[in-house]
Amino acid sequence: MLRRCAFVVSLLAAWSGTAFSQAPPTTSELIRNLRSASDQARVDAAQALAARGPAAAPAVNALIAALSDADETVRLSALQALAQIGPKAKDAVPVLFDILKGTDKRLSRGAITALGAIGSLDEKGQADLLGFVSGEHLDLSVAACRALLQVLPADAPDRAKTIPVLVQALKSPDENLRNEATATLGLAGSLALPQLSHLVEGFKADPDTARRAAAALSLMGPQAEAAVPALVLALGASRESVVVQAAATLAAIGPAAAPAVPQLKELLSAKRSLTRAAALNALGEIGPAAASAVGDMVLNFSDNDENVRREAVLAIGKMGDAAQPAIPGLIAALSDKSELVRTQAIWALGRTGPKAVPSLIALLGDENLQETAVVVLGQLGPAARSAVPELVHLLSQKDLPESTRHELILALSRFGSFAEEAVPGLLRILGDEQNPWRADAAWAIAHIGAKGAIPQLIRAMPPDESAASELTTVLPLAVLTLNPENELYFKWALKRGVALLGHEDNRVKQAAAAALAITGKKAVEAVSPLAAGMENTDPAVRSSFLGALAAIGPDAEEGLPAVITALADSEHAVRTAACVTVGKIGAAAKVTAPLLEQHLQDRDPALRLAAAWALVQVDPKRADLGALCTEPLRWGLQSADSRLRKESAQALGSIGPAALHAAPDLQKLVQNGDAEEQQAAGEALRKIQQPKPGGAGTINRIRGGRDERPR
């Protein structure tokens, strides 16, 4: 077994003795099992297909047949599978409505759930579901409400008819029904806000319903901003469960819940630890807008309750620059008796920026906290570059504990080019055949960007390259990461990097894909093995292989069939990565447009964003891009990831005037974004707000003049 090596996509693990579980049955085998003589085998097959989600689409006809099975459990499991497959199970819609004509409530409920997941019902289908909303069975009514909210357009008047039924179900004696109503009201969004806010305000008369209403609001996240005043009132409830849920909902709303900060500050000294912890969590999610509470939050670092101390440290780590006064307290928390609190203190210090660096450098001389200080400095990365000389000096010490030396090499790798002065020491480690940290040093050299060390990295390769070892794996990936201009060096690394895509350890495969992605289109010969990797059972591997194909770009067209398969993957993350990949392939992937349109209806906003962005890339002249893609891309402008904000802006610019609704969001990005974001947003605004054909600006350009109107 190998030591932990965090340099290569999380960990490089067990090189020998890797155990493999039996390969799962194929979809074809599961379809055959649906016809088994064994009732349990048929149930197991349907449930296994349900677990595969949209990837089980080839089984739709077999599942439709299973709806006539003699065993009710098989029928129920088939309904569940059709629901999980979603829109690709549309052929089942007529049979599902036939089930609704029967008297079996469980089957009817399953059919309603499947219809909602499949979506795209015609007006008659919508009307049939609406009939169940006002039916005599409240559980079926709630299921129908959820289905209608899934299938009806956002502006459909009939959506409002679901809210009174769901509010009624919040007070049902059936806990499962109450929970389902809570989740469905969360799905209703702004439509349910007024009634939910009113229920929260009634916490004195009916605290249980108020708590559930607050829980429904929490599912809306920032969309529930209008409920903040009601939630602030609920923070004063006498029942702890109401207070804790109100705080949790304010946390879900995030920065827009800033008006609640004074009341949350008061709760930091509440008698009950759960209330204190909930208030701290909310303040942390509100973030820098809760800066006025930092002093009070620091007092909770010494709370008797471990969970409260942990939440306090965690919340401070989300305060941005406002956390600076808490640095001494965070340093003290590194000695907390709880390992969990110490771990969170490391994380929080890693987010406080350069002002924590002097205190951390001072800790490098403390034997008890030395390794912790190294870890935090590494998390700070380039922001802590002033610590590099001290870290390089520490690296030269022979009596350094081995675990500290490992963390030290890892930390230096995170400084990038700012750690250039560490390269000679790292090369000495690499050149020492008895040194246990040679692979770590190689990867650190690569991440520092020391291209001049490529010959030494290649010479360090053991003569027997076939021997599975950490070093024989890391060295080619390190050279690939440096992306050498020398063709011989690059071919040396590429050949070995491509071979590692077939390594027995999935984490090594991910590392190889990540290194190949750095080289971009130069890795075109890896397209075939990367495409073949879509059959891997680990979704993390599939996602990383898609990332490499995306980096190769249009030259990865050969792998498009595998990418199309990944668009129907059972994992959201894989489907999202597949959308990005088809977008990077570009116009050659136009055939994927119908699949991308389906993903625009997904509940996951990240997947909707990826699908919208990709659709703009593969079919940029499409007339309905504005209607389909503007809203998901507007969501992308709010992302915490600068790259996503920039690419969302660029895609909106490509849509042009049809994306006019995004102009206010783009203007905010022009004002508040970094230089690249400002440029992308400004260019997008110019394209969106361009004069209409036949306008004065167009006439002036036709005449050879200039349109002098201010932009």
Side-chain angles (χ1 to χ4, degrees):
M1 302 291 286
L2 287 178
R3 299 175 306 278
R4 180 168 62 90
C5 180
F7 300 130
V8 185
V9 186
S10 178
L11 301 173
L12 288 178
W15 299 97
S16 59
T18 303
F20 292 89
S21 59
Q22 185 178 358
T26 65
T27 299
S28 297
E29 290 170 335
L30 292 174
I31 290 172
R32 286 197 297 272
N33 290 346
L34 284 174
R35 300 190 295 269
S36 170
S38 165
D39 291 350
Q40 189 58 50
R42 298 197 304 278
V43 170
D44 291 344
Q47 292 177 347
L49 288 166
R52 297 189 180 187
V60 166
N61 289 334
L63 289 166
I64 292 173
L67 295 178
S68 302
D69 196 282
D71 188 289
E72 185 180 49
T73 306
V74 175
R75 300 199 297 275
L76 289 169
S77 299
L79 286 168
Q80 181 187 13
L82 290 166
Q84 293 300 316
I85 291 170
K88 289 181 175 295
K90 62 183 180 181
D91 289 346
V93 168
V95 181
L96 295 173
F97 275 112
D98 286 342
I99 291 174
L100 295 182
K101 297 173 184 176
T103 58
D104 191 312
K105 281 179 57 181
R106 290 207 302 168
L107 290 175
S108 293
R109 185 181 178 84
I112 291 171
T113 300
L115 286 166
I118 293 169
S120 302
L121 300 182
D122 59 22
E123 291 186 6
K124 183 182 182 304
Q126 294 172 12
D128 288 344
L129 280 181
L130 196 59
F132 279 91
V133 169
S134 55
E136 59 180 312
H137 300 293
L138 189 56
D139 57 341
L140 293 183
S141 296
V142 170
C145 287
R146 184 175 188 86
L148 281 169
L149 289 170
Q150 289 174 306
V151 304
L152 288 175
D155 57 352
D158 284 340
R159 290 174 67 91
K161 297 178 181 178
T162 66
I163 306 304
V165 175
L166 294 169
V167 169
Q168 177 190 353
L170 282 182
K171 303 179 182 183
S172 167
D174 185 326
E175 182 180 2
N176 291 331
L177 193 55
R178 294 197 303 268
N179 291 339
E180 185 175 355
T182 299
T184 306
L185 282 164
L187 180 65
S190 59
L191 189 66
L193 265 174
Q195 292 199 50
L196 290 174
S197 297
H198 178 70
L199 291 172
V200 171
E201 289 171 348
F203 63 86
K204 291 182 181 178
D206 190 350
D208 288 334
T209 300
R211 176 181 58 80
R212 286 190 286 273
L217 288 166
S218 73
L219 299 174
M220 300 180 194
Q223 275 189 304
E225 179 181 355
V228 169
L231 294 163
V232 168
L233 291 175
L235 291 177
S238 58
R239 184 175 294 191
E240 184 184 31
S241 61
V242 175
V243 177
V244 169
Q245 182 58 66
T249 303
L250 290 164
I253 293 172
V261 169
Q263 289 77 15
L264 290 167
K265 282 173 61 176
E266 292 180 10
L267 293 178
L268 296 182
S269 56
K271 289 184 179 180
R272 293 184 176 274
S273 61
L274 187 58
T275 299
R276 298 195 300 276
L280 286 162
N281 174 55
L283 289 166
E285 293 304 319
I286 292 171
S292 62
V294 167
D296 301 86
M297 294 159 69
V298 170
L299 297 177
N300 290 104
F301 284 3
S302 56
D303 198 282
N304 290 330
D305 189 282
E306 174 187 352
N307 288 329
V308 175
R309 297 197 307 276
R310 181 184 68 84
E311 288 293 345
V313 169
L314 190 61
I316 287 292
K318 299 175 181 178
M319 289 291 116
D321 291 340
Q324 302 302 331
I327 288 175
L330 289 173
I331 295 290
L334 295 175
S335 300
D336 193 280
K337 60 184 178 182
S338 165
E339 181 181 359
L340 191 58
V341 174
R342 295 195 301 271
T343 300
Q344 295 295 354
I346 291 172
W347 175 84
L349 279 166
R351 294 170 63 95
T352 55
K355 291 188 177 180
V357 174
S359 299
L360 292 166
I361 290 175
L363 291 179
L364 292 176
D366 183 329
E367 291 184 0
N368 294 322
L369 291 174
Q370 184 182 71
E371 184 172 324
T372 299
V374 167
V375 171
V376 177
L377 288 166
Q379 287 185 349
L380 286 167
R385 55 185 176 273
S386 61
V388 168
E390 294 292 337
L391 295 173
V392 171
H393 173 71
L394 199 60
L395 185 65
S396 66
Q397 295 184 10
K398 295 182 178 180
D399 58 348
L400 198 66
E402 290 300 284
S403 61
T404 302
R405 192 178 302 279
H406 167 72
E407 294 295 348
L408 178 55
I409 297 172
L410 175 59
L412 287 167
S413 75
R414 290 175 171 165
F415 287 98
S417 60
F418 293 110
E420 188 176 359
E421 64 184 277
V423 172
L426 293 168
L427 284 173
R428 283 193 292 273
I429 293 173
L430 181 66
D432 180 0
E433 294 185 2
Q434 304 305 314
N435 195 300
W437 304 114
R438 297 177 74 201
D440 292 23
W443 201 250
I445 289 167
H447 276 258
I448 290 170
K451 289 197 173 189
I454 289 175
Q456 291 98 314
L457 290 168
I458 292 175
R459 285 199 296 270
M461 178 66 82
D464 183 7
E465 294 187 27
S466 62
S469 74
E470 190 175 8
L471 193 60
T472 56
T473 297
V474 169
L475 284 171
L477 300 184
V479 175
L480 273 178
T481 300
L482 289 168
N483 198 5
E485 288 84 9
N486 183 294
E487 187 176 356
L488 290 176
Y489 292 162
F490 181 77
K491 286 184 175 181
W492 179 90
L494 181 63
K495 175 184 176 181
R496 291 159 176 80
V498 170
L500 288 172
L501 293 173
H503 195 278
E504 63 184 12
D505 190 293
N506 279 340
R507 285 161 289 189
V508 176
K509 293 177 182 178
Q510 293 176 63
L516 288 163
I518 291 173
T519 69
K521 63 181 182 180
K522 291 167 62 177
V524 65
E525 70 179 67
V527 168
S528 180
L530 286 168
M534 292 303 101
E535 297 180 4
N536 192 285
T537 57
D538 186 343
V541 173
R542 300 197 296 276
S543 293
S544 63
F545 279 31
L546 285 164
L549 288 167
I552 293 169
D555 290 338
E557 181 182 353
E558 175 192 341
L560 187 57
V563 179
I564 290 173
T565 300
L567 284 171
D569 198 274
S570 60
E571 295 289 333
H572 263 75
V574 178
R575 298 201 296 277
T576 301
C579 287
V580 173
T581 303
V582 299
K584 292 292 185 181
I585 291 173
K590 185 176 178 179
V591 67
T592 64
L595 294 172
L596 295 174
E597 286 184 62
Q598 289 182 15
H599 290 325
L600 289 173
Q601 307 303 317
D602 197 272
R603 297 180 194 176
D604 181 359
L607 179 54
R608 294 199 301 270
L609 169 61
W613 176 86
L615 193 57
V616 174
Q617 312 308 311
V618 303
D619 197 1
K621 296 183 179 181
R622 183 171 171 153
D624 58 353
L625 284 180
L628 291 172
C629 302
T630 299
E631 289 307 311
L633 291 168
R634 287 180 69 186
W635 184 85
L637 295 177
Q638 315 302 322
S639 171
D641 188 318
S642 175
R643 181 188 57 180
L644 288 182
R645 294 194 297 269
K646 184 180 74 172
E647 298 221 17
S648 296
Q650 291 171 338
L652 286 165
S654 297
I655 293 173
L660 185 60
H661 288 307
D665 305 280
L666 289 165
Q667 189 60 51
K668 289 180 182 178
L669 195 59
V670 169
Q671 295 170 350
N672 304 319
D674 62 28
E676 290 188 357
E677 292 167 10
Q678 290 175 352
Q679 181 179 354
E683 182 62 27
L685 280 170
R686 284 189 286 275
K687 293 178 179 179
I688 287 173
Q689 297 172 339
Q690 65 184 345
K692 294 181 180 179
T698 302
I699 293 172
N700 282 340
R701 283 192 292 274
I702 291 172
R703 291 173 178 170
R706 292 186 178 181
D707 184 355
E708 296 297 338
R709 291 176 298 169
R711 299 292 182 183

